[in-house]
Amino acid sequence: MKSRTKDKIYIVGFLLIPMVLLALFSYYPLMKLIQLSFTDWNGMSRDLKYIGIRNYQDIFSQKELFQTFGNNMAYVITALIQQIAGLFLAILLNSNIKMKTTFRAILFMPYIINGVAVAFMFNYMYDYSNSPINYILGSLGIEAVHFISNSYMTNFALSFISFWKYVGWTMVIYIAALQSIPGDVYEAARIDGAGFFQTIRYITLPNIKKMLEVSLLLSLNGALQVYFEPFLITKGGPNGRTATFISKSLELAYSYSKYGKAATMGVILLFMILVLVAVQNLFLKGDE
Amino acid sequence: MNQRHLSIILAGTMLAGVITGCGSTESAAPAESQATAQITETEAATADTAETVGALSGTITVASNRTDLEERLAQYAQAFMDENPGTTVEFETIKEYDDVIPTRIAGGEAPDLFYVVDPINQDTYKDYFLPIDDLEFTADDILFYENGRGTDGNLYVLPLTVSYCGMVYNKAAFAKAGVTDIPKTVDEFMDVCDKLDKAGITPVGTAFKDIWPIYAWCGWGEVTLTAGDNRGENKYAQQDEIYDDVMLSSMNIVRELYKKGYLEDDIMSANWDQFKLDLAQGKTAMHYSETWLPAQFVELGADPKDIGMFPFPGAKNIKAGAGKQWGISKDTENPELAKAFLTYMLKNPVADTDIPSNKNIEVNDPFVAELLSYGIEPLEPIVGDATFSNIKNDIELDGQKFFLTYVMEESDEKAAALIAEWNDKWAAARANYIN
Amino acid sequence: MIKSKKETLKSTFIINNKPGRCLVYLLMIFGIIGVFAPLLIVLNVSLKTNEEYMMKGVMTLPENMGNISNYVRAFVEGNFITGFMNTAILVVVSVPVTIIIASLVAYTLSRFEFRARKLVYLAFLIPTFIPGMTVTIATFQVIKSLGVYNTLLAGMILYIGTDIMQIYIFLQFINNVPVSLDESARLDGAGRIRIYTSIILPQLKPAIATTVILKLLGIYNDFFTPYMYMPKIKTVATSLYSFSGDKLAEWPLMSAAIILVAIPTIIIYIFLQRHIISGVTDGAVK
């Protein structure tokens, strides 16, 4: 009995500070976001008016807002490719090839470089008239590329930046998962004479399923929330071509003083992500 | 030679300022009469800050968007602090001013001195700024003085600078292309572009990637005043078309330039810094902007003789406008110091290349002189209200971003459809504002 | 051909045929070029003078390999010394506190029986999915009412707030520490805190190494927190951002600034890469 109450004190003591921080910096802002989504607040003034669900109605009737998800799709696709590439590299670098630790170290390196520096570096790479890439292409007699253009490909150019930075990280995560697979499973497969794809299909993938799902979820989450690259490099332009859902909501808040509506977009995005998580969880449970 | 070009004549209690543009020959008279009433400028400033304000103290923060002037601003503040021991004035330069300032105001951390950003308008000046009617200035001293009044009649904000719209061009580039005459009409302008293009020079720079640099082509105030209508953007609050023929005639010039390949090779990656270098070096010939710009080319190494300005081809008037409008935060802890510093800024231009709003300060800007030497009168907007910007925010129209879309739309029909779409939205939303 | 038994066991595949090996190495070379090419180009440009860059372009080697004038200019004009100092202070204060807090949370979740356990875990998980950009105004208000706006404390407090990733990594490790160790210690009269300091913490060493590095990188790379909540206090990332203000077209200078900012973590990485990767690997495995 006595140790029970003592434990309670410890639990409270150990969790108090982190929970307070969590409440202050995650849950209070979240509540505020939800509250503001029902108002017409302009982002500055002291008074706000509750307008019910009008923001939600507005947003669902404005198809151009959801079209920004089209731009997010480029990031989603890149995120998927990043998962596949990371896994593929992990498999290769978890085999018996020489210098694999060196290769791992090099491929992981972009992860540790400052994000602003990386963004500026690619800003340089993507500049039409100054781009070193175009310079090289030019000396090979190939026509220069418009990296930042009115075409949808601009989104891929931007999403490639995070691919470059994070593919090594993805790889390391998958190496970790691969190493947790007991060696004798592979041994058995080898004796059975299973081929490359068979081994991956029947042994590797099922065994790292949990990590696969966590990693996939996190990168999808990132792809839906993306705003940093457009913010630093294109400002959502040209022509709204690179505006993501979040950068569009920031535009609403700051260019048109519709903070309430921007908050609504934030709530909708959060809701969509939580649905995604829930669906994935259900999927996972159903399988087991 | 005197460069005093503007003087506001106030007609009774009307808030309308009417501009009398003076050619270089006429300008001497009003300026001299003002000068007699004044002690020399520097004396006035020192005498004032030292005597009338007495012992100032405290700390204020001044928020500027001029990240390029960080050091100069620090020196500027230091000069003030040297004159007023016991005070601390800190400049804070913010690149994304329009995003950061509203957040800070909402969080109760407004800088003591800042300029008007988007959500603030005449209706809401009183919520963010202190009245500054008691500063020592009147409409006789400061241009656009009356434009700084809120809906409640108090004065809240004042501009530190003024500027005039016109074509900035590189004379060396013109010479290289064999252009001798400044274009006076749009047709002549197109011919000039053609010659420049053939000489391997980019005729017109847009810096489209940064979006804002094209504001003069598509800003309602700029276009309307250039067309000789002093209602400026307020004109559109009175009609059902946000894009009328006046706007389209200006916007279509850029559309044509784009189609003919007279803009940068790749307008999507044409950024501001690169553009400035190119115009300074004569690789790009022209840019439509305002009088605050040319000095920046000289700073980048261009020969001042090579840079010039001429009125927009076919302009009925030269648009005169106030720069950023500065006010003192309602929540400042040191209103006296803030007022003293605002006064100081109004009397001592931060950068000598600025054209001060203070009429008592001599303007010796050769670029302004050149622009006005073509004999086209400057025109100043009358004071309006917030209706225009309210409707524009309501329909979520960003004129500059849309302009880029419009310019790049290849099909004329689709472009016209885009215009019609905005006009419909405008008409529908405007219905809620007229009563 | 089979090497040590252990090595083989851990491998996903045994690639023994020549073409297979060649293909793998080819891919690796491709990847290495992908990683290094942009960095080397930027490094190359950073060593050129502006004139040289204009005349000769990107691909020639700099005339003077020791031309560090761009670096000096970037370092001085960008005021990076302040940036590095402030970032260092943030790291030194926030990282250890985060580690303690996160490990205590993980310890509590792993070793204490209480009803709200799942709920607490969930409470730490959900914020991962809140789009951070959309809640800035409310966060700003909290920072402001704590009176820490525009001070280093703002960054410290925000960084100290732990996230699910750290807790997750610590949990994996603690769950692997046999409970019987706790029990026998308790029989010897050790309390909860003694058990934490003498049994749990030592076992967490690799996990701590990993989280320290991840948190350090997180703070070093973070642009948004200092930008929004302490604009007067320049960190490395915000220094670079404001340095870019009007110099974006001076590519050699910008390149030098980019390299300057990248160097510290690259150096740390060269020395610690073994620990970083193995730490992440071990930490992530359940």
Side-chain angles (χ1 to χ4, degrees):
Chain A
M1 274 301 269
K2 210 178 158 218
S3 82
R4 266 280 165 100
T5 37
K6 237 182 171 180
D7 270 6
K8 266 191 186 152
I9 295 171
Y10 280 124
I11 293 171
V12 172
F14 290 163
L15 292 183
L16 187 67
I17 294 176
M19 292 301 265
V20 166
L21 287 172
L22 203 59
L24 275 181
F25 294 109
S26 295
Y27 287 100
Y28 169 73
L30 178 61
M31 292 306 137
K32 197 87 190 163
L33 187 76
I34 295 172
Q35 180 205 354
L36 289 173
S37 75
F38 296 105
T39 70
D40 68 346
W41 195 44
N42 72 1
M44 272 172 79
S45 79
R46 265 156 229 185
D47 38 61
L48 42 86
K49 202 166 76 224
Y50 285 90
I51 53 169
I53 57 164
R54 213 177 71 203
N55 285 328
Y56 289 85
Q57 289 169 328
D58 269 11
I59 288 171
F60 284 108
S61 68
Q62 259 179 303
K63 60 179 190 306
E64 65 265 29
L65 292 181
F66 286 94
Q67 279 164 0
T68 56
F69 274 123
N71 295 332
N72 283 78
M73 269 317 284
Y75 295 85
V76 170
I77 291 167
T78 310
L80 293 176
I81 296 172
Q82 182 185 322
Q83 295 302 314
I84 295 166
L87 180 58
F88 183 65
L89 288 170
I91 290 172
L92 292 185
L93 292 181
N94 199 42
S95 301
N96 65 332
I97 64 161
K98 282 179 194 142
M99 285 168 64
K100 59 185 175 194
T101 46
T102 316
F103 290 144
R104 283 179 197 170
I106 292 171
L107 292 175
F108 185 73
M109 200 181 72
Y111 178 78
I112 57 122
I113 299 175
N114 187 293
V116 181
V118 170
F120 282 135
M121 187 168 84
F122 277 93
N123 189 28
Y124 178 36
M125 297 296 147
Y126 290 163
D127 186 272
Y128 177 72
S129 39
N130 284 289
S131 169
I133 303 173
N134 279 340
Y135 190 89
I136 297 167
L137 291 179
S139 58
L140 295 173
I142 302 170
E143 209 174 307
V145 181
H146 293 261
F147 293 100
I148 308 295
S149 75
N150 201 16
S151 102
Y152 187 76
M153 291 308 286
T154 307
N155 289 306
F156 282 104
L158 292 179
S159 63
F160 178 76
I161 299 174
S162 58
F163 177 89
W164 184 83
K165 190 160 153 57
Y166 293 111
V167 72
W169 167 259
T170 312
M171 172 195 78
V172 167
I173 293 287
Y174 282 130
I175 289 177
L178 290 177
Q179 290 184 345
S180 70
I181 303 175
D184 45 359
V185 178
Y186 284 112
E187 196 107 40
R190 258 170 238 140
I191 290 164
D192 288 354
F196 182 78
F197 290 104
Q198 279 175 311
T199 314
I200 290 180
R201 169 78 179 80
Y202 295 108
I203 297 178
T204 314
L205 291 183
N207 274 296
I208 60 166
K209 203 171 138 218
K210 195 181 167 202
M211 185 60 94
L212 212 61
E213 274 169 349
V214 171
S215 178
L216 194 64
L217 185 67
L218 288 179
S219 68
L220 285 182
N221 181 38
L224 291 175
Q225 291 192 19
V226 70
Y227 98 98
F228 187 66
E229 286 86 4
F231 171 79
L232 272 192
I233 296 182
T234 60
K235 308 266 177 238
N239 194 2
R241 245 301 164 225
T242 59
T244 60
F245 195 71
I246 290 289
S247 76
K248 190 75 195 174
S249 84
L250 296 179
E251 188 183 310
L252 278 178
Y254 295 123
S255 303
Y256 312 121
S257 310
K258 293 188 176 176
Y259 199 90
K261 199 168 164 186
T264 312
M265 287 181 79
V267 173
I268 291 174
L269 182 61
L270 176 64
F271 183 74
M272 288 171 55
I273 292 171
L274 289 181
V275 167
L276 195 74
V277 176
V279 167
Q280 200 172 19
N281 263 330
L282 278 180
F283 193 62
L284 183 71
K285 284 223 178 93
D287 262 20
E288 270 167 5
Chain B
M1 201 177 85
N2 199 299
Q3 307 297 339
R4 170 64 31 220
H5 305 283
L6 290 176
S7 59
I8 298 176
I9 298 164
L10 272 180
T13 53
M14 278 180 59
L15 295 182
V18 180
I19 216 88
T20 56
C22 306
S24 45
T25 45
E26 295 165 85
S27 64
E32 257 166 37
S33 63
Q34 282 161 8
T36 48
Q38 290 282 328
I39 336 167
T40 59
E41 202 46 47
T42 39
E43 271 176 287
T46 1
D48 191 82
T49 39
E51 284 162 28
T52 55
V53 189
L56 288 167
S57 63
T59 302
I60 52 166
T61 306
V62 186
S64 160
N65 68 333
R66 297 298 297 270
T67 43
D68 55 327
L69 292 182
E70 213 156 316
E71 273 170 49
R72 198 181 298 173
L73 292 172
Q75 290 163 6
Y76 183 83
Q78 191 56 50
F80 176 84
M81 289 187 275
D82 291 345
E83 280 176 32
N84 300 277
T87 62
T88 310
V89 176
E90 281 177 11
F91 269 100
E92 189 182 335
T93 55
I94 304 169
K95 201 169 162 193
E96 314 290 337
Y97 203 90
D98 292 356
D99 297 356
V100 172
I101 292 294
T103 305
R104 290 187 40 183
I105 293 173
E109 273 289 348
D112 298 284
L113 273 165
F114 61 100
Y115 63 73
V116 177
V117 288
D118 210 19
I120 308 177
N121 58 40
Q122 288 94 326
D123 296 343
T124 51
Y125 280 164
K126 62 176 187 319
D127 298 332
Y128 307 108
F129 295 114
L130 275 186
I132 49 172
D133 304 80
D134 56 341
L135 291 189
E136 61 191 86
F137 306 102
T138 66
D140 293 335
D141 303 308
I142 306 289
L143 293 163
F144 299 98
Y145 185 88
E146 294 299 332
N147 297 50
R149 290 194 190 280
T151 318
D152 60 357
N154 288 329
L155 181 76
Y156 291 99
V157 290
L158 285 174
L160 297 178
T161 58
V162 296
S163 57
Y164 306 93
C165 259
M167 280 285 172
V168 184
Y169 73 116
N170 186 308
K171 294 178 187 173
F174 269 41
K176 192 179 154 206
V179 180
T180 46
D181 294 324
I182 295 306
K184 296 233 162 44
T185 64
V186 176
D187 288 340
E188 285 174 27
F189 175 71
M190 287 295 170
D191 289 343
V192 169
C193 288
D194 187 46
K195 279 186 189 160
L196 288 162
D197 190 50
K198 288 197 174 107
I201 296 162
T202 305
V204 177
T206 56
F208 244 132
K209 187 186 167 191
D210 286 300
I211 302 192
W212 67 265
I214 42 85
Y215 70 96
W217 293 99
C218 63
W220 288 269
E222 283 78 4
V223 172
T224 312
L225 285 153
T226 305
D229 188 335
N230 70 349
R231 286 178 295 168
E233 60 184 24
N234 292 297
K235 168 187 163 188
Y236 294 89
Q238 296 157 17
Q239 62 179 48
D240 272 344
E241 277 185 322
I242 176 84
Y243 286 112
D244 58 3
D245 290 343
V246 176
M247 282 301 292
L248 290 178
S249 64
S250 172
M251 291 162 67
N252 284 335
I253 296 174
V254 183
R255 230 176 110 76
E256 196 178 337
L257 291 173
Y258 175 66
K259 280 193 173 162
K260 288 186 172 164
Y262 292 163
L263 306 178
E264 291 101 330
D265 283 345
D266 183 47
I267 63 172
M268 294 302 179
S269 70
N271 73 60
W272 178 243
D273 300 293
Q274 188 66 48
F275 153 76
K276 285 208 297 185
L277 278 180
D278 288 348
L279 199 140
Q281 293 164 358
K283 287 185 205 159
T284 295
M286 293 182 275
H287 178 72
Y288 186 27
S289 183
E290 282 179 273
T291 45
W292 52 263
L293 176 61
Q296 299 195 14
F297 298 116
V298 178
E299 219 163 274
L300 281 173
D303 185 339
K305 284 195 219 92
D306 280 347
I307 304 294
M309 280 189 84
F310 62 86
F312 187 72
K316 291 212 175 67
N317 287 102
I318 287 173
K319 179 238 163 187
K324 308 285 186 198
Q325 298 201 288
W326 290 77
I328 296 168
S329 165
K330 206 181 156 200
D331 301 326
T332 182
E333 283 165 14
N334 293 297
E336 290 313 313
L337 177 58
K339 280 181 188 171
F341 192 70
L342 183 58
T343 307
Y344 184 84
M345 287 205 291
L346 281 161
K347 286 179 172 179
N348 305 280
V350 175
D352 44 17
T353 50
D354 287 343
I355 304 158
S357 59
N358 187 337
K359 293 192 233 172
N360 307 316
I361 302 174
E362 294 271 313
V363 180
N364 283 311
D365 189 299
F367 304 113
V368 177
E370 184 178 342
L371 175 64
L372 296 175
S373 71
Y374 290 89
I376 293 179
E377 306 264 299
L379 181 65
E380 183 187 351
I382 55 167
V383 178
D385 56 28
T387 316
F388 173 79
S389 60
N390 285 339
I391 306 176
K392 193 157 71 69
N393 285 343
D394 198 356
I395 63 171
E396 290 162 23
L397 170 58
D398 182 323
Q400 294 168 5
K401 282 190 182 156
F402 170 67
F403 183 46
L404 179 57
T405 312
Y406 180 71
V407 167
M408 296 195 62
E409 176 54 60
E410 276 166 29
S411 141
D412 284 342
E413 284 123 54
K414 277 190 194 155
L418 289 172
I419 293 290
E421 203 179 306
W422 281 119
N423 279 339
D424 290 347
K425 281 191 187 171
W426 181 264
R430 200 175 83 89
N432 303 327
Y433 286 85
I434 11 178
N435 29 22
Chain C
M1 272 303 278
I2 293 172
K3 289 188 207 158
S4 77
K5 178 90 176 151
K6 201 178 156 216
E7 166 87 353
T8 324
L9 271 180
K10 266 166 55 187
S11 301
T12 309
F13 290 105
I14 310 279
I15 304 170
N16 283 333
N17 54 333
K18 265 233 168 88
R21 277 181 173 261
C22 287
L23 197 68
V24 173
Y25 286 119
L26 206 71
L27 277 171
M28 286 305 134
I29 289 168
F30 193 69
I32 289 169
I33 292 174
V35 168
F36 280 120
L39 290 169
L40 288 178
I41 291 172
V42 170
L43 178 68
N44 191 41
V45 171
S46 75
L47 293 171
K48 296 178 176 220
T49 64
N50 230 338
E51 291 72 41
E52 192 186 341
Y53 176 72
M54 294 283 182
M55 302 294 291
K56 297 205 173 153
V58 180
M59 293 318 287
T60 57
L61 283 176
E63 281 164 13
N64 174 6
M65 292 297 271
N67 170 29
I68 55 159
S69 60
N70 288 321
Y71 287 87
V72 175
R73 235 189 103 194
F75 192 73
V76 175
E77 285 178 32
N79 217 348
F80 280 105
I81 191 92
T82 325
F84 282 119
M85 285 289 293
N86 286 328
T87 302
I89 296 171
L90 286 172
V91 167
V92 168
V93 176
S94 310
V95 172
V97 182
T98 317
I99 300 298
I100 294 168
I101 289 181
S103 59
L104 276 175
V105 171
Y107 173 56
T108 315
L109 288 178
S110 168
R111 290 296 201 259
F112 288 80
E113 289 287 337
F114 59 105
R115 247 175 294 158
R117 225 163 66 164
K118 260 223 147 114
L119 206 66
V120 172
Y121 187 77
L122 205 65
F124 280 100
L125 179 68
I126 287 178
T128 319
F129 304 112
I130 301 176
M133 281 302 300
T134 58
V135 292
T136 46
I137 289 193
T139 311
F140 192 98
Q141 284 165 343
V142 176
I143 287 290
K144 153 82 180 156
S145 47
L146 291 176
V148 295
Y149 174 71
N150 244 336
T151 68
L152 276 169
L153 273 173
M156 289 171 189
I157 294 178
L158 285 166
Y159 290 137
I160 282 170
T162 178
D163 57 65
I164 191 70
M165 189 72 188
Q166 297 151 359
I167 294 175
Y168 181 76
I169 292 178
F170 282 134
L171 261 182
Q172 303 303 331
F173 274 80
I174 297 178
N175 285 339
N176 281 338
V177 180
V179 184
S180 56
L181 283 180
D182 295 33
E183 310 265 280
S184 56
R186 198 174 303 166
L187 288 180
D188 292 345
R192 288 291 197 178
I193 294 181
R194 265 288 295 284
I195 293 173
Y196 169 74
T197 52
S198 62
I199 296 175
I200 303 293
L201 267 188
Q203 296 286 329
L204 283 182
K205 264 184 199 157
I208 290 174
T210 311
T211 38
V212 162
I213 289 156
L214 293 182
K215 193 78 190 175
L216 185 150
L217 286 174
I219 296 175
Y220 188 82
N221 286 339
D222 183 35
F223 162 77
F224 194 72
T225 303
Y227 177 72
M228 207 72 216
Y229 308 115
M230 36 186 237
K232 271 192 203 166
I233 315 254
K234 289 276 188 293
T235 65
V236 174
T238 50
S239 296
L240 179 61
Y241 183 69
S242 39
F243 181 69
S244 78
D246 55 336
K247 300 189 177 68
L248 263 184
E250 284 187 65
W251 299 110
L253 189 63
M254 271 309 291
S255 301
I258 290 169
I259 298 289
L260 200 63
V261 166
I263 281 176
T265 44
I266 292 184
I267 291 176
I268 294 176
Y269 184 63
I270 289 172
F271 286 107
L272 295 180
Q273 48 88 4
R274 222 158 255 277
H275 301 280
I276 297 175
I277 295 186
S278 70
V280 176
T281 335
D282 298 345
V285 182
K286 41 175 185 174

